[in-house]
Amino acid sequence: MRVKDKHKILKTVDKLVEYNETLKKFSSSSKYLFDKILRECNKLVDEIDISDCSVEEHEALGEYKKLINSPEYDADLIKKALDVFFQQIQEEKETYRVLFLPYKYSMWDSFESIFEAAKEDENCETYVMPIPYYDKDQEGNLTEIHDESGSYPDDIGIISWQDNQVDEIDPDVIFIHNPYDGNNLVTSIHPKYYTDKLVCKDRVVIYVPYYVSYTDDEGISVFMGGAEYYTDYVIVQSEWYKEKFELEMLKHNILNNGNKFIVLGNPKYDKIRSLNKYEYPLKDDWKEKLFDESGNKKFTILLDTTLEILLKKREKMLDKIVDVIDFLEKRDDLALIWRPHPLIEPMLRDMCTELIPTYVKLVDCCKNLDNCIFDDTNNMHTAIVWSDAFMGKYGSMIELYRVAKKPTIMLEISEKTNFESDGIYDEEGLRAKVSDCQVIREKDYGLGNLIDFSMKYHRGEEEDEINPTDGKKIYDFAIKSAKLKME
């Protein structure tokens, strides 16, 4: 039985119990009030949705209605009939409807483990309805529409936004991962899916961010797209984010009861933890660069370049990339996957045209080296699963990579890189940090020492402690919240 139908029936029965006590008082003193309340009882019974009720529940409700309309009003018998019906409904299994509203398939990993938890719950009806989004012109007008419904695997079992309406589905929980509604300058989801149109008194709307961020450095800021103000809950990756979001609410003079921002991690972490090479086979051109002639895999470093760091450090950041590529070019036992942010070239054309020649030269150099891969694919997981260590500065990839329990190196941009290893470092201390998902820093050890350590490091083959995924925790929280809201 739908959880909202069950709660509605139980509330009605509570009301009928109250009316029974009142009718008992008026049965011999006021025929007018007695008949008036009796009519209300019959009306409430007729309004009960019995479509999902069992034969026994039909019979119990019928027995109640027969008793209240008999010539002799017996309050004790009526109370017993109500108790039987209440107990039968109380024992009904509660079923929930959960609706996911993704808009870009590349962001599905921020829902995936929640979806998996929902699918495993036999009491949950799960729906995935990818919604369309529009480009915007410079005046903010909606232009070309995009629908990525065709990108999803068949086993997800999506439904069409053109053939289904949210209110017809009548979900108990809605998950969204676009926080902007119409506030993004470049794109907008379809206006009928703006968050203020999704919220409802008998459903829970939860925003799960499509991103995670490394927050252990000063100067990291948060932004709110707008949907956070309307949703029932916002899932945040850490207490740090919760505090920042709550401060943003105060800045906008929006009341917050302290329970809107819930620290439960993010499904993107679950995706990284579960990565395996079998799901991401290498193409031949990658194999040629990551494996030697004997078929042995080279130690592979993943280099990330974010928009933020390139804008801040400019030539110094490009010099750092030159240093890394020059070093890797001389090492036959190492390989490099360079994965810069896909919007770097457009950003350079708009804001830093003087850097374009150097950047283009670096890209060409990387593509032409026998042990370097320039990764401009739309899937970062192949690079993550096939690499053995990470180098980068800020951004979401460094935050995700660390949970893979592989060496994750925070680069130092300002000084000349020292690739020499003196072997003087605390190997056990570094190993403990990596195993504890901590980022290790070039400025503390020198890059040469960290590369030397990374090549020696092997993640323990023993099984990790089995814990609920972030997605399972988020799903359980959502179901609990939906039930509480109905009560």
Side-chain angles (χ1 to χ4, degrees), residues 250-294:
L250 286 174
K251 286 180 186 177
H252 292 85
N253 296 316
I254 297 174
L255 294 177
N256 173 33
N257 61 10
N259 297 318
K260 178 184 280 282
F261 302 97
I262 311 299
V263 181
L264 290 174
N266 192 287
K268 294 178 82 71
Y269 295 129
D270 296 330
K271 182 70 174 180
I272 299 301
R273 296 184 189 109
S274 66
L275 287 179
N276 65 76
K277 294 175 180 177
Y278 303 106
E279 294 183 35
Y280 298 91
L282 290 177
K283 294 182 179 179
D284 288 342
D285 56 339
W286 281 43
K287 281 183 182 178
E288 291 174 0
K289 296 196 174 189
L290 298 188
F291 287 79
D292 62 23
E293 294 179 354
S294 301

Side-chain angles (χ1 to χ4, degrees), residues 308-467:
E308 178 186 10
I309 195 62
L310 192 53
L311 275 174
K312 284 182 176 179
K313 298 296 184 178
R314 302 199 176 211
E315 291 87 354
K316 290 182 179 179
M317 184 66 235
L318 294 180
D319 288 343
K320 191 74 173 185
I321 299 170
V322 170
D323 288 348
V324 172
I325 290 178
D326 284 349
F327 170 74
L328 268 293
E329 184 179 6
K330 301 168 187 173
R331 295 285 298 264
D332 294 335
D333 57 334
L334 300 178
L336 177 72
I337 302 174
W338 179 25
R339 186 178 173 85
H341 192 285
L343 295 180
I344 279 183
E345 285 202 46
M347 181 272 291
L348 292 179
R349 286 195 296 269
D350 290 341
M351 305 176 67
C352 314
T353 54
E354 73 279 5
L355 301 181
I356 292 177
T358 304
Y359 180 77
V360 171
K361 185 178 179 181
L362 273 172
V363 172
D364 290 340
C365 177
C366 180
K367 289 179 177 179
N368 292 325
L369 291 177
D370 292 337
N371 62 344
C372 290
I373 294 170
F374 182 79
D375 182 12
D376 57 357
T377 64
N378 59 7
N379 188 330
M380 66 178 173
H381 296 125
T382 302
I384 291 176
V385 75
W386 284 97
S387 58
D388 303 295
F390 175 95
M391 293 180 185
K393 186 79 170 175
Y394 309 136
S396 60
M397 278 195 74
I398 196 168
E399 171 67 13
L400 287 172
Y401 201 93
R402 66 177 183 82
V403 304
K405 295 188 177 182
K406 295 190 286 188
T408 307
I409 301 168
M410 176 72 79
L411 292 175
E412 190 68 18
I413 307 302
S414 301
E415 299 178 4
K416 185 69 176 176
T417 309
N418 178 15
F419 287 100
E420 296 297 322
S421 174
D422 56 19
I424 305 174
Y425 57 84
D426 180 4
E427 185 173 339
E428 287 304 311
L430 283 171
R431 185 178 302 278
K433 285 187 175 184
V434 174
S435 297
D436 195 37
C437 300
Q438 294 184 39
V439 171
I440 53 182
R441 297 172 179 269
E442 176 187 358
K443 69 177 182 179
D444 296 332
Y445 299 93
L447 194 55
N449 281 335
L450 291 182
I451 292 173
D452 181 55
F453 158 75
S454 298
M455 295 181 72
K456 296 176 183 177
Y457 175 84
H458 294 285
R459 180 178 173 179
E461 295 299 326
E462 68 276 4
E463 291 187 10
D464 291 331
E465 182 181 352
I466 298 175
N467 293 310

Side-chain angles (χ1 to χ4, degrees), residues 18 42 44 57 149 165 209 224 252 305 350 463 465 467:
E18 291 178 20
N42 278 286
L44 286 175
E57 290 160 357
S149 299
Q165 302 296 323
M224 296 180 71
H252 292 85
T305 310
D350 290 341
E463 291 187 10
E465 182 181 352
N467 293 310

Side-chain angles (χ1 to χ4, degrees), residues 18-58:
E18 291 178 20
Y19 280 154
N20 185 49
E21 292 298 315
T22 307
L23 286 168
K24 186 177 180 180
K25 295 176 184 177
F26 292 135
S27 60
S28 58
S29 62
S30 174
K31 187 175 187 308
Y32 165 72
L33 290 175
F34 182 89
D35 289 344
K36 182 178 180 181
I37 296 171
L38 190 60
R39 286 194 298 272
E40 183 63 23
C41 288
N42 278 286
K43 180 183 176 184
L44 286 175
V45 172
D46 292 338
E47 288 176 353
I48 292 177
D49 183 0
I50 59 174
S51 59
D52 288 336
C53 289
S54 67
V55 173
E56 292 77 15
E57 290 160 357
H58 276 267

Side-chain angles (χ1 to χ4, degrees), residues 51 128 181 184 361:
S51 59
V128 178
D181 291 340
N184 192 311
K361 185 178 179 181

